[in-house]
Amino acid sequence: MRIAVYSCYFGNPEPYTPDAMGAGQGYDRILFTDRPDLEVAEGVRREVLTAGDAGAIAASRLPKLCPHKFLSGYDWVIYVDNRARLRVDPAAFVAVIEARFPEGAPRTRYAFRHDRTQCIYREIKACQRMGYMTLEAREALIAAYRAEGLPSDAGLFVNTAMVQRMGDPAADAFNEGVFDHVTRVTRRDQIGFAYKVWREQFPLVVLEEGLADVVEWPLYSFRTRRRFQRGAA
């Protein structure tokens, strides 16, 4: 069984976390970045991607949401945000998941349920309060989703860590649909992911574990990120 743990660091959004992906014993670690000069931990494979005109945020979403485009040789992949630190052995974690499926774990997405809300609309409002979107963008997105019939508690998942058992074209197509939605409609992939799960009735597996069981997060507060960004600028 081949397992990869990967992360993304594009632009200069916060201090880089060299050990976000753990120690790397028995699995591969891959960092996607637009920084060829970034010093990475020993044993980490650095994959340099150009941000281009779309910008660093958009560029980071492609490997995050579409691992099949870069990590097709693996059985399981686990994404870990740079603001988090892996706290479990990936092989042991995968073994726990597989033990729940005597006939074989589905080749699909596995998601951590959001611990504060199951409402996409509440998440949209929270993003606006935190400065991730304007009030106008918030109202337009809510109106568009309501017009499609999205209910208030359709489900919400946390994308700080994401898991996929590879090898299903339907899951890969879903990933690309999420990326397209994030590119065209909203830059907040946590919102776009949950919306597409509802819209397509995608058969993802909701993990029994909470996010805190698998990663330590956040390593950097919202205020720390702002100070770092001001200093970098």
Side-chain angles (χ1 to χ4, degrees), residues 113-159:
R113 192 182 301 277
H114 201 287
D115 63 350
R116 292 193 302 274
T117 182
Q118 288 299 293
C119 181
I120 294 174
Y121 296 116
R122 288 186 63 184
E123 177 70 4
I124 293 172
K125 292 175 181 178
C127 286
Q128 185 268 319
R129 288 195 301 271
M130 296 175 69
Y132 292 135
M133 65 177 69
T134 65
L135 179 60
E136 293 76 15
R138 183 193 85 172
E139 294 306 306
L141 188 57
I142 289 175
Y145 284 169
R146 290 202 185 282
E148 292 193 46
L150 176 69
S152 295
D153 292 304
L156 189 65
F157 313 95
V158 58
N159 289 6

Side-chain angles (χ1 to χ4, degrees), residues 160-179:
T160 304
M162 306 180 76
V163 180
Q164 183 171 341
R165 186 180 182 200
M166 306 292 278
D168 180 24
D172 297 342
F174 169 79
N175 290 339
E176 294 184 19
V178 175
F179 178 73

Side-chain angles (χ1 to χ4, degrees), residues 2-228:
R2 295 194 65 198
I3 300 173
V5 177
Y6 68 105
S7 189
C8 298
Y9 189 83
F10 284 75
N12 208 21
E14 68 230 352
Y16 169 60
T17 308
D19 59 347
M21 297 174 284
Q25 297 178 352
Y27 63 97
D28 292 338
R29 294 172 295 169
I30 300 100
L31 177 72
F32 296 95
T33 181
D34 60 348
R35 299 271 305 278
D37 60 330
L38 188 67
E39 294 187 12
V40 299
E42 184 178 356
V44 172
R45 190 173 86 225
R46 181 175 52 205
E47 295 287 344
V48 179
L49 304 176
T50 303
D53 295 338
I57 294 177
S60 71
R61 296 300 187 265
L62 182 59
K64 175 181 179 179
L65 297 172
C66 297
H68 61 284
K69 290 182 174 292
F70 307 93
L71 304 171
S72 59
Y74 291 92
D75 301 296
W76 288 84
V77 298
I78 301 171
Y79 166 82
V80 178
D81 189 273
N82 181 69
R83 291 178 66 204
R85 182 181 292 113
L86 189 68
R87 63 193 314 172
V88 298
D89 173 63
F93 178 50
V94 166
V96 168
I97 295 174
E98 290 191 325
R100 296 171 185 158
F101 301 92
E103 298 183 1
R107 297 182 184 275
T108 189
R109 276 288 189 184
Y110 294 71
F112 297 94
R113 192 182 301 277
H114 201 287
D115 63 350
R116 292 193 302 274
T117 182
Q118 288 299 293
C119 181
I120 294 174
Y121 296 116
R122 288 186 63 184
E123 177 70 4
I124 293 172
K125 292 175 181 178
C127 286
Q128 185 268 319
R129 288 195 301 271
M130 296 175 69
Y132 292 135
M133 65 177 69
T134 65
L135 179 60
E136 293 76 15
R138 183 193 85 172
E139 294 306 306
L141 188 57
I142 289 175
Y145 284 169
R146 290 202 185 282
E148 292 193 46
L150 176 69
S152 295
D153 292 304
L156 189 65
F157 313 95
V158 58
N159 289 6
T160 304
M162 306 180 76
V163 180
Q164 183 171 341
R165 186 180 182 200
M166 306 292 278
D168 180 24
D172 297 342
F174 169 79
N175 290 339
E176 294 184 19
V178 175
F179 178 73
D180 177 69
H181 189 78
V182 168
T183 301
R184 294 186 302 101
V185 180
T186 174
R187 295 172 66 180
R188 305 308 303 169
D189 63 85
Q190 197 157 273
I191 293 170
F193 182 86
Y195 163 79
K196 292 294 284 186
V197 169
W198 167 81
R199 184 65 184 169
E200 298 184 13
Q201 294 298 290
F202 181 73
L204 88 168
V205 176
V206 180
L207 291 163
E208 297 178 14
E209 292 81 6
L211 179 69
D213 296 323
V214 178
V215 299
E216 178 186 356
W217 178 87
L219 299 180
Y220 309 115
S221 67
F222 184 76
R223 183 174 298 177
T224 298
R225 293 186 82 203
R226 289 297 191 201
R227 285 201 301 266
F228 182 85

